[in-house]
Amino acid sequence: MIVVKVGGSAGIDYDAVCADLAARVQAGERFVLVHGGSGETNRIAEALGHPPRFVTSPSGYTSRFTDRQTLEIFEMVYCGKMNKGIVERLQRHGVNAVGLSGLDGRIFEGRHKDSVRAVENGKVKVLRGDHTGTVERVNTHLIELLLDSGYLPVLTPPAASYEGVAINVDGDRAAAALATALHADALLLLSNVPGLLRAYPDERSLIPRIPAHDVEAYLEFAQDRMKKKVLGAAEAVAGGVRRVIFGDARAGQPISAALAGQGTVVE
Amino acid sequence: MIVVKVGGSAGIDYDAVCADLAARVQAGERFVLVHGGSGETNRIAEALGHPPRFVTSPSGYTSRFTDRQTLEIFEMVYCGKMNKGIVERLQRHGVNAVGLSGLDGRIFEGRHKDSVRAVENGKVKVLRGDHTGTVERVNTHLIELLLDSGYLPVLTPPAASYEGVAINVDGDRAAAALATALHADALLLLSNVPGLLRAYPDERSLIPRIPAHDVEAYLEFAQDRMKKKVLGAAEAVAGGVRRVIFGDARAGQPISAALAGQGTVVE
């Protein structure tokens, strides 16, 4: 069982990811796919006159401030356009995919954080009305039901709060929690870079291997969105996942290449 | 087993529908919910600068012309905003809902019609690049798997073509095909009118009963979107569904009221 997370930034080749995934599923391997949709969400939010707002926490992590209107735009893009676009691609390849959010069957659950601490102009402010949280519980029943019946689950944020409210959660860390809960053999975190770079954006500075016991020491090399991937990798290996691979989803056979050891391998 | 279809026009009270549904599910009744999203799709399409285009067939049926961009907007609203909004409401009521499109698990399948005949300025034209079709096959396996495991399926167009392409299908007729395939005891078609009206929009002209063998004779009273509901009702009763009810989803307890005989009952 392998969990693949494919990001939502510009440059990702979803056709390539889906073709590669379909070939491996048809060869008998078991997968769960998790995806993002950040880039397209920004574009649609701008077009709808409700531009995205990003906030930086005091510890340096960047996240989307998700008011109710942003949450609905987020759902339109992640659960509508992106999720059904990926399911359609897989169906065209003959894979019986089933697209679900973390709300469906309460697959991803966590605590609703209504307020967020953000650094603005050097000062720490508290912003309220946020619909975010972190996945604390993965309800694997529905996923296992689907896998055992020959369906391929295609999952995406948002998650459900314990009260049933939709909350925006980080997709990489959700995938890490999922890989842990499913006792996955590997977690692939695919994005629009070749892996973790020692000197971003210089692709020749790729870090090929990271020892599993030392992942957090590599946080210093991670920029922006890569930080949550490194954090997710640390959480997955701590949860018992033996291999986490940061791979490139821009072309070729992204899943096969990562499983063959290209990118940054944490093990 | 009861199939409930709730429309997507202005004035529908989804909170009322979900609260009523949740109470009945928790009392032990089995339901599948199907929903639309037409009104909101029109609004978002306008806001994104790709306004909706409706065409009228030579036989007088109106439908959305669905080019690829429209299909993606359609998916954003139906599968994203509407579907997850309904799943969230049900989860807040403690019902473990699972939202799916007809693409997922190929629940709704049909033939892709790439071109449509439309009457414009009194002439019949052929328009190409359409992503529409009619549900010809309902794959009940996934729905029954979910129901048997205690989940409530919440379904929405699009459907999958036999080639795996997303196609826009009429939700009322999809619900009729679903009710037939599941051997449902009843099909409820809820919208923003009290039922079928003899003199639309005069609500005092409600037709309370239609004999099952004579549904198509009532097509003459149906305006616009109500035409497909009457057609769906005819298909459902021909398929063995004993009761079809056109009910009002604007307030109160829409499902309980319809099951108690309010609205237009076809039986």
Side-chain angles (χ1 to χ4, degrees):
Chain A
M1 148 75 64
I2 296 163
V3 173
V4 177
K5 159 69 172 38
V6 59
S9 299
I12 288 173
D13 186 343
Y14 294 100
D15 290 333
V17 172
C18 290
D20 193 15
L21 182 59
R24 297 192 77 106
V25 167
Q26 282 153 356
E29 286 183 271
R30 264 163 96 95
F31 284 92
V32 177
L33 182 62
V34 182
H35 68 85
S38 188
E40 186 65 9
T41 297
N42 296 347
R43 203 185 66 77
I44 297 287
E46 291 279 359
L48 291 174
H50 192 73
R53 177 178 179 189
F54 289 95
V55 295
T56 303
S57 73
S59 49
Y61 290 94
T62 301
S63 64
R64 185 187 298 276
F65 183 73
T66 311
D67 59 16
R68 189 74 208 182
Q69 195 181 341
T70 299
L71 179 73
E72 290 180 356
I73 295 168
F74 181 97
E75 288 180 339
M76 286 204 294
V77 177
Y78 279 70
C79 310
K81 186 169 185 173
M82 302 296 294
N83 190 263
K84 298 318 165 198
I86 289 170
V87 168
E88 185 186 17
R89 284 178 180 91
L90 290 167
Q91 291 287 1
R92 290 172 86 159
H93 283 293
V95 173
N96 207 349
V98 172
L100 297 166
S101 77
L103 281 170
D104 301 297
R106 306 176 83 90
I107 290 173
F108 292 135
E109 276 191 307
R111 204 164 36 84
H112 176 189
K113 271 177 56 189
D114 176 70
S115 64
V116 63
R117 293 173 69 219
V119 181
E120 288 188 350
N121 304 322
K123 285 183 187 165
V124 177
K125 289 182 181 176
V126 175
L127 304 172
R128 301 197 183 279
D130 201 11
H131 284 78
T132 61
T134 304
V135 174
E136 295 168 349
R137 207 155 78 184
V138 179
N139 297 311
T140 56
H141 176 263
L142 178 54
I143 300 164
E144 285 167 348
L145 190 71
L146 293 171
L147 286 169
D148 290 346
S149 302
Y151 298 102
L152 175 75
V154 179
L155 308 182
T156 185
S161 77
Y162 296 117
E163 297 78 32
V165 175
I167 51 173
N168 180 3
V169 293
D170 180 68
D172 293 310
R173 294 180 68 192
L178 179 70
T180 299
L182 291 173
H183 309 292
D185 301 306
L187 167 65
L188 273 53
L189 298 172
L190 308 180
S191 66
N192 62 353
V193 287
L196 184 61
L197 306 176
R198 194 171 288 272
Y200 179 86
D202 180 0
E203 299 196 355
R204 292 164 309 175
S205 72
L206 178 75
I207 299 168
R209 293 286 176 281
I210 297 178
H213 63 273
D214 203 26
V215 188
E216 291 188 10
Y218 286 78
L219 264 175
E220 65 171 300
F221 302 114
Q223 310 291 318
D224 300 330
R225 298 178 63 80
M226 189 53 89
K227 283 193 184 184
K228 294 232 176 113
K229 291 187 200 299
V230 176
L231 204 60
E235 289 166 351
V237 296
V241 179
R242 282 184 300 116
R243 263 203 313 169
V244 181
I245 307 164
F246 302 123
D248 194 336
R250 290 174 297 181
Q253 297 179 299
I255 295 167
S256 299
L259 287 173
Q262 284 181 42
T264 301
V265 181
V266 182
E267 66 182 348
Chain B
M1 148 73 67
I2 296 163
V3 173
V4 177
K5 160 68 173 34
V6 59
S9 299
I12 289 173
D13 186 342
Y14 294 100
D15 290 333
V17 172
C18 291
D20 193 15
L21 183 59
R24 298 192 76 106
V25 167
Q26 283 155 354
E29 286 182 89
R30 263 164 97 95
F31 284 92
V32 177
L33 183 62
V34 181
H35 68 85
S38 188
E40 187 65 10
T41 298
N42 296 348
R43 202 185 65 78
I44 297 288
E46 291 279 359
L48 291 174
H50 192 72
R53 177 178 179 189
F54 289 95
V55 295
T56 303
S57 73
S59 48
Y61 290 94
T62 301
S63 63
R64 185 187 299 277
F65 184 73
T66 311
D67 59 16
R68 190 75 207 181
Q69 196 181 341
T70 300
L71 180 73
E72 290 181 354
I73 296 169
F74 182 98
E75 288 180 340
M76 286 204 293
V77 177
Y78 279 70
C79 310
K81 186 169 185 174
M82 303 296 294
N83 190 265
K84 298 318 165 199
I86 289 169
V87 168
E88 185 186 18
R89 285 179 180 91
L90 290 167
Q91 291 287 1
R92 290 172 84 159
H93 283 294
V95 173
N96 207 349
V98 173
L100 296 166
S101 77
L103 281 170
D104 301 298
R106 306 176 84 89
I107 290 173
F108 293 135
E109 275 191 307
R111 203 165 36 86
H112 176 191
K113 270 177 59 187
D114 177 69
S115 64
V116 63
R117 293 173 68 218
V119 182
E120 288 187 348
N121 304 320
K123 286 183 189 165
V124 177
K125 289 183 181 177
V126 175
L127 304 173
R128 301 197 183 278
D130 201 11
H131 284 78
T132 61
T134 305
V135 175
E136 296 167 350
R137 207 154 78 183
V138 179
N139 296 311
T140 56
H141 175 263
L142 178 54
I143 300 164
E144 285 167 347
L145 190 70
L146 293 171
L147 285 169
D148 290 346
S149 303
Y151 298 102
L152 175 75
V154 179
L155 308 182
T156 186
S161 78
Y162 296 117
E163 297 78 33
V165 175
I167 50 173
N168 180 2
V169 293
D170 180 68
D172 292 311
R173 294 179 68 192
L178 178 70
T180 300
L182 291 173
H183 309 291
D185 300 307
L187 166 64
L188 273 52
L189 298 172
L190 308 179
S191 66
N192 62 351
V193 287
L196 185 61
L197 306 176
R198 194 170 288 271
Y200 179 86
D202 180 0
E203 299 196 357
R204 292 165 309 174
S205 71
L206 177 74
I207 298 168
R209 292 287 176 281
I210 296 177
H213 63 272
D214 202 27
V215 188
E216 290 188 9
Y218 285 77
L219 264 174
E220 65 170 302
F221 302 114
Q223 310 290 319
D224 300 330
R225 297 179 64 80
M226 189 52 90
K227 283 194 187 185
K228 295 231 176 116
K229 290 187 200 300
V230 175
L231 204 61
E235 290 166 351
V237 295
V241 179
R242 284 185 298 115
R243 264 204 311 170
V244 181
I245 306 164
F246 302 123
D248 193 337
R250 290 174 298 181
Q253 295 179 300
I255 295 166
S256 298
L259 287 173
Q262 286 181 39
T264 302
V265 181
V266 182
E267 66 181 349

